[in-house]
Amino acid sequence: MLELIADPLTAEAFAPFGEVIDARTSASFPINAGRTRRHHDLATVQILGENARPLISLFVSQPVTLPLELTFLERHPLGSQAFMPLHEERFIVVVAPPGESIDAADVRAFLTD
């Protein structure tokens, strides 16, 4: 059994696994007569494959209690995911580096703010 302690999610700590989208540190400017703030170009969308296309899906998850026992990790070699709260909840993201197999020593957990 691997026991993880979640580290704070920062762009630097998460870099080996992907990008952190953070509107607090992004370039932004007012639009719509100043009523809206646009946070511009927050992440890269890669098109992977000849017939691939970007798409957006929304998943609503249920809260869990800690400690949490994970029995699997998903791998998405042809796509990416963005996790963002729809409200102001903090959540844990568990990740592993890309590859054909997972070395337990490389699995990390991050706590969002």
Side-chain angles (χ1 to χ4, degrees):
M1 175 188 287
L2 174 65
E3 209 170 294
L4 296 174
I5 296 175
D7 294 319
L9 180 67
T10 65
E12 298 76 26
F14 196 77
F17 309 101
E19 297 177 79
V20 173
I21 301 170
D22 190 344
R24 297 170 299 185
T25 59
S26 68
S28 66
F29 50 90
I31 62 171
N32 298 336
R35 292 185 311 274
T36 303
R37 184 140 211 96
R38 178 176 175 162
H39 297 273
H40 186 67
D41 198 17
L42 295 179
T44 303
V45 177
Q46 293 180 305
I47 306 299
L48 302 171
E50 189 175 316
N51 296 316
R53 65 180 180 80
L55 61 92
I56 297 173
S57 299
L58 181 65
F59 298 82
V60 178
S61 184
Q62 298 300 312
V64 297
T65 58
L66 298 176
L68 172 65
E69 183 176 326
L70 297 177
T71 57
F72 66 93
L73 292 175
E74 294 181 338
R75 188 168 60 109
H76 302 277
L78 298 178
S80 60
Q81 294 181 320
F83 298 94
M84 61 184 235
L86 299 178
H87 307 287
E88 294 186 11
E89 303 97 344
R90 296 181 343 154
F91 56 93
I92 295 173
V93 179
V94 179
V95 293
E100 292 301 315
S101 63
I102 297 173
D103 182 343
D106 294 331
V107 176
R108 300 275 310 275
F110 294 96
L111 179 62
T112 69
D113 61 0

